[in-house]
Amino acid sequence: MKLKFVLAVMLSLSFFTAFCQTENAANRYTADKFEKYYNAGQFDSIYAIFSPEAKISLPSDKTKAFLTNLKNGYGNIVKRAFLENQAPFAVYKTEFEKGIISLSIAADNNNAITGLYAKPYEPDTQPVLQRNITAMHLPFKGEWTVFWGGDTKELNYHVNVRFQKNAFDIVINNAEGRSFRTNGKTNEDYYAFGQPIIAPCDGEVVWAVDGVKDNIPGELNPIYVPGNAVLMKTRNKEYVFFAHFKQHSVKVKEGDQVKQGQLLGLCGNSGNSSEPHLHFHLQNIENLNKATGVKCYFSKLEVNGISKTDYSPVKGDKISEER
């Protein structure tokens, strides 16, 4: 069955997309309301929770026509599951009595619908990777500390974000556990700032971004979340992502073939970053909006002074390349 009707409002566009893949509370509340009113045939009640701007863009008659066609073609909603955010929409796999639709709903802080979009559901056919096949070395020299890393929310705040669910945030700490020398007010005060970031394996540079300014410590740049960044692809089609390089320090460009140990750039504080650090993760495809994070195991390293092989670090680990 083909979906021949579309209702779309896009009123609250955001630059913040792939780095937020958990279901927004306002979207969840509004989607629940939509499902309740839709199944009851209360289309006026759905229109009543449109934002004022949405009501102007989509008058009542057009909204009712869309919902009537949807009901006639697909019946009631049986089950709904959150898939991802495609800002400003929350996207749901929505099972109806007569088919499955990808239903996207956007809501504001007042739980009003600001956007509504429906299209045929397309199953995810992207490759599934549980872990890296390619041997990985640490992407730096010396001892660094894992600030975020692991499989639980307590260890790693990235776990609820699909494409970076196995990511690491890594800093350099001194013997007292501090990441800066004096007061931490400048980037240069941080041990990690300006340190070389190197390729953990051989690969091809898919894309590279340079030129984003470094933040003042404590301030964030949510407009371009990764900051200066590099995405590599291994011969096993694993995608290796590095974020927050120092401005104008990235040494590679799209299409470059790099070798393990080759300099990629310098650690910085660009993008959505509060202090100089390296964000590093693996993912299964190039597109950050559709990718799934892949757990990364390093071949040989020292963890808290102990030699480890085929190990995935966790929060608090002090890690260095095995001597």
Side-chain angles (χ1 to χ4, degrees), residues 188-228:
E188 290 74 14
D189 198 29
Y190 287 80
Y191 297 106
F193 190 71
Q195 291 298 311
I197 303 300
I198 58 177
C201 61
D202 295 351
E204 177 184 351
V205 177
V206 178
W207 52 255
V209 175
D210 199 12
V212 180
K213 290 183 178 180
D214 287 287
N215 305 321
I216 296 171
E219 298 183 7
L220 305 175
N221 177 2
I223 301 300
Y224 192 75
V225 176
N228 302 305

Side-chain angles (χ1 to χ4, degrees), residues 7 10 18 22 27 78 125 143 149 223 228 235 252 316-318:
L7 181 73
M10 298 185 70
T22 55
N27 283 337
V78 176
T125 57
E143 184 181 84
I223 301 300
N228 302 305
R235 65 179 182 179
V252 294
D317 282 347
K318 294 183 179 299

Side-chain angles (χ1 to χ4, degrees), residues 12-298:
S12 55
L13 294 176
S14 171
F15 290 98
F16 190 77
T17 55
F19 274 68
C20 184
Q21 291 299 333
T22 55
E23 186 180 14
N24 180 290
N27 283 337
R28 180 172 61 249
Y29 176 86
T30 305
D32 287 344
K33 284 285 189 182
F34 174 88
E35 180 176 334
K36 175 184 175 181
Y37 293 146
Y38 172 84
N39 283 349
Q42 297 174 356
F43 300 158
D44 285 334
S45 296
I46 292 176
Y47 186 74
I49 59 174
F50 274 22
S51 69
E53 296 82 3
K55 288 178 178 178
I56 293 172
S57 298
L58 290 171
S60 176
D61 58 338
K62 291 185 178 180
T63 301
K64 289 180 181 178
F66 163 75
L67 296 171
T68 299
N69 286 339
L70 186 62
K71 190 96 162 184
N72 290 339
Y74 285 82
N76 284 339
I77 295 172
V78 176
K79 185 179 179 181
R80 192 185 78 246
F82 174 76
L83 293 178
E84 61 182 347
N85 283 316
Q86 292 182 359
F89 293 98
V91 183
Y92 299 90
K93 176 185 177 183
T94 308
E95 297 182 25
F96 290 76
E97 294 170 315
K98 302 176 186 178
I100 303 176
I101 286 175
S102 177
L103 182 67
S104 301
I105 298 177
D108 61 21
N109 292 332
N110 296 317
N111 299 318
I113 293 177
T114 60
L116 188 61
Y117 181 75
K119 67 177 183 178
Y121 172 72
E122 297 177 359
D124 187 357
T125 57
Q126 302 299 341
V128 177
L129 298 174
Q130 299 299 331
R131 55 156 297 157
N132 54 299
I133 301 170
T134 303
M136 291 286 165
H137 296 261
L138 291 177
F140 46 74
K141 298 295 184 181
E143 184 181 84
W144 293 52
T145 299
V146 179
F147 190 84
W148 291 113
D151 297 327
T152 67
K153 189 175 181 180
E154 291 72 26
L155 294 173
N156 193 354
Y157 89 101
H158 300 99
V159 295
N160 290 326
V161 184
R162 189 175 75 176
F163 85 103
Q164 55 171 337
K165 66 178 183 177
N166 299 112
F168 304 103
D169 281 346
I170 313 174
V171 301
I172 298 179
N173 285 341
N174 61 18
E176 288 74 41
R178 293 194 314 175
S179 58
F180 50 87
R181 297 176 180 83
T182 58
N183 56 22
K185 292 184 178 181
T186 66
N187 287 316
E188 290 74 14
D189 198 29
Y190 287 80
Y191 297 106
F193 190 71
Q195 291 298 311
I197 303 300
I198 58 177
C201 61
D202 295 351
E204 177 184 351
V205 177
V206 178
W207 52 255
V209 175
D210 199 12
V212 180
K213 290 183 178 180
D214 287 287
N215 305 321
I216 296 171
E219 298 183 7
L220 305 175
N221 177 2
I223 301 300
Y224 192 75
V225 176
N228 302 305
V230 171
L231 184 68
M232 284 176 49
K233 180 173 70 173
T234 73
R235 65 179 182 179
N236 294 310
K237 297 183 179 179
E238 304 137 317
Y239 290 81
V240 190
F241 183 84
F242 311 79
H244 312 309
F245 285 94
K246 181 181 178 182
Q247 185 184 26
H248 301 316
S249 77
V250 175
K251 304 300 182 184
V252 294
K253 64 183 184 303
E254 180 181 343
D256 282 356
Q257 299 293 327
V258 299
K259 294 294 185 181
Q260 189 274 318
Q262 182 175 334
L263 178 66
L264 300 178
L266 305 180
C267 183
N269 189 28
S270 58
N272 204 48
S273 170
S274 59
E275 70 168 81
H277 74 284
L278 170 65
H279 172 103
F280 173 87
H281 76 257
L282 307 185
Q283 59 191 57
N284 63 334
I285 61 173
E286 177 182 346
N287 189 328
L288 273 66
N289 286 301
K290 297 181 179 180
T292 299
V294 177
K295 191 163 184 177
C296 180
Y297 292 80
F298 295 100

